[in-house]
Amino acid sequence: AYKHFKFIERRWRSKPEYPGVLWHLAEIEILRRRKWRACRYVRKLYNRFPNHELTKDWEIDLGKVKFNGRTTKCVATLSDQKKRIRRMQWNGFADRAKAEITSLKMNEKLSQFYRDQLEAEYLVNEGQAFEAKAILVKHYKVHNTSFDYLNLLAKASARTGDFDLAVGSYYKAYRLLPKYRRGRKALFRAAFLSYQNQDYDGA
């Protein structure tokens, strides 16, 4: 079964049946007692298809989600949760995304920085960049060496018209990962914003 589903998984990624394929692959890996592989497919369902018929009852705390009647105990990363929130907003489920953010903010096991990043991501996507920037700036002194934080701060700053902070944050993010694709993308964004701001030499 694994061989057959893995074969079509590579070919059906743009088809509406794709979430079902991921579901079956997760089931198969659980039966093969390969939990880490099962969680990989569960996370894909969690962050890419939050509003699908198979996953519409899932919550933002992936560890508490029921999969075939059993708790998954899989762990979602901050990146997974950001993708999930963004997908919901893109698909017109902003209210549900906001409710999940609110529930996560009440989880005192998570750091304030972690919760604030998710809330800021939501606000930026909703066009409330000034509110997002105000939340993020509070953490700058402590977390200015976090690549994801700098990218999000730059994104919010660019949308508020604070190009100096946006360019500086993108460039600082690039300096953290200069040899990786994500780092090069941050460098390009810094250059593009400099160009938009008519700083042609900087660009």
Side-chain angles (χ1 to χ4, degrees), residues 44-151:
K44 281 186 179 181
L45 284 164
Y46 168 86
N47 64 45
R48 294 187 191 180
F49 307 100
N51 306 304
H52 192 272
E53 189 67 25
L54 291 167
T55 59
K56 64 181 182 181
D57 296 325
W58 289 13
E59 57 182 281
I60 197 162
D61 187 348
L62 184 58
K64 296 179 180 178
V65 162
K66 296 277 187 178
F67 183 86
N68 280 354
R70 294 184 178 182
T71 306
T72 67
K73 296 183 181 178
C74 297
V75 178
T77 65
L78 176 61
S79 176
D80 288 328
Q81 291 177 330
K82 283 183 178 180
K83 288 176 185 175
R84 176 178 175 82
I85 295 300
R86 191 159 57 242
R87 291 273 181 180
M88 284 185 185
Q89 291 174 283
W90 287 349
N91 293 330
F93 291 87
D95 289 342
R96 184 182 170 196
K98 186 175 183 180
E100 291 200 354
I101 291 287
T102 302
S103 69
L104 204 68
K105 285 172 67 177
M106 297 171 66
N107 186 350
E108 295 182 355
K109 292 181 181 179
L110 299 173
S111 69
Q112 189 64 48
F113 175 59
Y114 189 103
R115 288 177 282 176
D116 282 350
Q117 281 189 93
L118 271 176
E119 184 177 12
E121 181 82 28
Y122 170 83
L123 290 170
V124 169
N125 295 336
E126 285 295 297
Q128 300 174 40
F130 284 97
E131 292 87 339
K133 182 185 168 187
I135 291 171
L136 292 168
V137 164
K138 295 184 295 184
H139 298 284
Y140 187 81
K141 285 186 178 179
V142 177
H143 297 284
N144 61 26
T145 56
S146 166
F147 181 89
D148 290 333
Y149 165 76
L150 289 169
N151 259 298

